[in-house]
Amino acid sequence: MADVIDNSVTAKATKVEILAETATDEPWIAIVDNGTGMTEPELIEAMRPGTKNPLQEREGHDLGRFGLGLKSASFSQCRQLTVISRKDGHTSGATWDLDKVAESNDWRVDLEDDLTDIPAADRLPNAGTIVLWRKLDRLSTNFRNDVAKRSAEINKAISGAERHLRLCFHRYMEGSKPALRILLNDRKLLPIDPFATDHPATQMDPEDFLPLLNGEVVTQCFTLPHHKKMSKTAWEDLGGPEGHLRSQGFYIYRERRLIIAGSWLGLARQTELTKLARVRVDIPNTMDSDWKIDVRKASAQMPPVVRERLRKIVERLQGTSKRTYQRRGRKLVSDEYLPLWNRVQKNGGIVYRPNVEHPSITGFAAALPEDFRHGFRTCIILLGSGLPIAALHADMLGGAEDVTQDAADFADFADSAEIAIRALLHSNMTGNDVARALCSTEPFIHHKDAIRRLVEEIQGEPS
């Protein structure tokens, strides 16, 4: 679909409609645009494979390259391709049917004289083009004789394509007056900005310009906000089905059209600490040969001079992304919040130990008979040494934002809070000081009002 929409953008379309009829014996998908359209000779030329010289100079809005996109993209999905186009009041239609080609052994396109029975033909605007896919065997290989399951399979593919289009053309779709609107069965698609440029916590570097012989490469670095600063829906939409770990890296655009999303292209490894780092790279269509853009416009290779420049950018950007997470980590284990766990550097590594000086632990230990105190402390240390590091590591790699603290109700640890309060009051601290100390202590920090009320109740008890 993206390859077909490239042609719509080249034809200066401002609106693209994707129509799909899947719950039928003969399902079809149509892509309708309001571009300049084609005359019959232009349509016949467009239906011919390899209609463009890749070395030919093109306008800046031209997203094509070889003239193969329409045909190769269509035949990867269907066996019958029909294109209907209207220009200057004249309507033309042509069809490639691979079954007929196989029977006749003749690559001959059929011109359509009667459009009455062609699906979606009535949606053709005054000027524009319809690309119609029929005989969708490529999209329903598993359930060709089961209408319901075949429909579900095609709809699943369309759903995946929807996200790809929202990302691929997001720079055309953004703003209050977008250059391009894309609709799926009359539902407007919203762009996905992989850099979250509208979020106030996103860190954006200035653009960097690298002039070369065949054009200028423009790069800009972004560090996404920590997931705790975004809604869960926005965070998941930004990361996509593969998550943020796979979405970090370079986003390479050719004439503002995304061709590579989320890869360091061999310049760095994808790690949990750098998953907030993304680099936007803009190249013009005059640099296709320099970047070795392939037929599908889905892969590229950086020229050596660009690779060296981006290597330095990546090294700097990775430091910014790591600091975003490490700052967050230091807060969670800061002495200011009297954590239940201490983060300790040991022998070049990092270990986490229960904080045996936590008021809840020291207060409970003080309330125990002296013979039991050593055993209690041993149990606490044993608990720390049994921390499931391997399982945590696997879960963090799968999606660190999904690993959260157990949000227990206050009733679950009210006894611990009472023990801590009594221990602190017994040390001659005032009630206000006790409340202030526990309200900045894990896990009581999340239940400040309940802590203050409990302090007042204990203070109000008869002595």
Side-chain angles (χ1 to χ4, degrees):
M1 285 185 175
D3 283 342
V4 174
I5 294 175
D6 283 346
N7 294 333
S8 300
V9 173
T10 300
K12 302 180 181 179
T14 59
K15 179 181 179 183
V16 172
E17 295 185 87
I18 300 168
L19 308 171
E21 178 55 70
T22 61
T24 177
D25 289 334
E26 297 180 354
W28 54 266
I29 297 173
I31 303 170
V32 186
D33 72 48
N34 65 347
T36 55
M38 293 177 282
T39 62
E40 185 173 281
E42 289 172 335
L43 173 59
I44 295 173
E45 178 68 9
M47 296 292 274
R48 183 169 64 86
T51 58
K52 288 187 178 180
N53 180 349
L55 302 178
Q56 180 180 345
E57 185 175 344
R58 297 181 297 279
E59 296 183 36
H61 67 275
D62 190 345
L63 299 185
R65 174 153 168 74
F66 295 96
L68 290 169
L70 170 64
K71 283 74 66 175
S72 61
S74 298
F75 291 140
S76 72
Q77 310 298 316
C78 70
R79 299 198 323 275
Q80 188 177 44
L81 165 65
T82 298
V83 179
I84 306 171
S85 195
R86 182 174 292 155
K87 183 176 183 180
D88 299 331
H90 298 287
T91 305
S92 307
T95 297
W96 276 117
D97 190 324
L98 296 187
D99 292 338
K100 288 186 177 181
V101 171
E103 291 174 4
S104 63
N105 196 27
D106 185 10
W107 278 89
R108 181 173 297 178
V109 67
D110 295 324
L111 297 180
E112 299 287 354
D113 297 324
D114 185 3
L115 307 179
T116 306
D117 296 327
I118 296 181
D122 59 328
R123 301 293 291 262
L124 184 65
N126 292 332
T129 300
I130 295 178
V131 175
L132 175 65
W133 295 344
R134 289 179 285 181
K135 298 183 180 181
L136 302 173
D137 61 320
R138 310 296 200 276
L139 285 174
S140 55
T141 55
N142 297 322
F143 305 105
R144 294 182 182 178
N145 299 316
D146 189 320
V147 173
K149 292 183 178 179
R150 180 180 61 200
S151 175
E153 187 174 22
I154 297 175
N155 287 335
K156 182 179 179 181
I158 292 174
S159 178
E162 175 183 337
R163 175 180 169 81
H164 180 78
L165 296 178
R166 292 172 59 201
L167 183 63
C168 187
F169 296 99
H170 77 92
R171 294 172 72 181
Y172 289 87
M173 300 164 65
E174 290 168 348
S176 57
K177 295 182 179 179
L180 178 67
R181 290 180 299 138
I182 301 179
L183 294 85
L184 174 57
N185 284 337
D186 299 319
R187 175 173 55 86
K188 182 181 178 181
L189 303 187
L190 300 178
I192 297 176
D193 176 6
F195 313 107
T197 52
D198 290 337
H199 198 286
T202 296
Q203 301 174 52
M204 292 182 282
D205 288 359
E207 291 184 329
D208 182 81
F209 299 90
L210 178 61
L212 299 172
L213 180 62
N214 292 322
E216 187 173 57
V217 178
V218 183
T219 59
Q220 187 172 17
C221 303
F222 299 83
T223 302
L224 301 183
H226 191 277
H227 71 269
K228 290 185 179 294
K229 295 186 177 182
M230 303 183 72
S231 69
K232 183 176 177 62
T233 300
W235 176 260
E236 291 178 349
D237 200 31
L238 195 60
E242 294 189 341
H244 287 264
L245 187 64
R246 298 289 185 185
S247 301
Q248 64 183 287
F250 295 115
Y251 284 70
I252 299 179
Y253 294 80
R254 176 180 176 271
E255 299 297 346
R256 298 192 301 142
R257 193 269 211 202
L258 184 63
I259 59 174
I260 293 179
S263 169
W264 289 116
L265 298 178
L267 292 183
R269 295 174 59 191
Q270 291 178 319
T271 68
E272 185 67 33
L273 281 179
T274 59
K275 72 179 183 181
L276 301 181
R278 300 185 176 187
V279 183
R280 188 173 71 197
V281 182
D282 278 297
I283 64 174
N285 58 22
T286 54
M287 298 187 70
D288 287 352
S289 59
D290 298 331
W291 283 75
K292 296 182 173 59
I293 304 295
D294 69 353
V295 172
R296 296 186 303 118
K297 297 186 289 291
S299 69
Q301 298 179 32
M302 285 184 288
V305 63
V306 178
R307 191 175 187 85
E308 191 57 35
R309 174 71 70 94
L310 292 186
R311 187 188 304 278
K312 296 177 181 178
I313 291 176
V314 167
E315 291 173 356
R316 175 174 53 81
L317 182 62
Q318 284 182 318
T320 304
S321 181
K322 288 178 180 178
R323 285 195 299 273
T324 300
Y325 267 111
Q326 289 171 341
R327 279 200 301 268
R328 197 86 192 177
R330 282 197 293 271
K331 282 185 179 179
L332 293 175
V333 294
S334 165
D335 291 340
E336 178 184 352
Y337 292 102
L338 292 176
L340 278 167
W341 292 86
N342 285 330
R343 180 176 182 267
V344 180
Q345 288 188 320
K346 179 182 177 182
N347 298 329
I350 297 173
V351 297
Y352 281 83
R353 294 172 177 168
N355 180 12
V356 295
E357 303 303 323
H358 192 280
S360 294
I361 296 176
T362 57
F364 185 79
L368 290 173
E370 188 170 348
D371 293 344
F372 290 91
R373 293 176 186 174
H374 176 72
F376 172 68
R377 284 182 173 267
T378 301
C379 287
I380 295 296
I381 294 172
L382 182 63
L383 177 68
S385 64
L387 192 67
I389 295 297
L392 283 171
H393 183 66
D395 289 337
M396 295 291 279
L397 285 177
E401 60 275 9
D402 295 330
V403 182
T404 61
Q405 290 176 308
D406 187 5
D409 294 331
F410 182 71
D412 295 333
F413 49 81
D415 290 344
S416 298
E418 181 179 349
I419 291 172
I421 291 170
R422 293 187 185 278
L424 294 174
L425 289 174
H426 187 69
S427 67
N428 295 323
M429 288 179 64
T430 66
N432 287 336
D433 288 341
V434 170
R436 190 178 303 112
L438 285 189
C439 285
S440 60
T441 302
E442 291 285 357
F444 311 126
I445 190 173
H446 306 295
H447 304 275
K448 295 180 180 179
D449 292 340
I451 289 294
R452 294 189 182 101
R453 286 195 298 268
L454 187 56
V455 171
E456 292 174 359
E457 290 175 7
I458 293 175
Q459 278 189 306
E461 293 176 352
S463 54

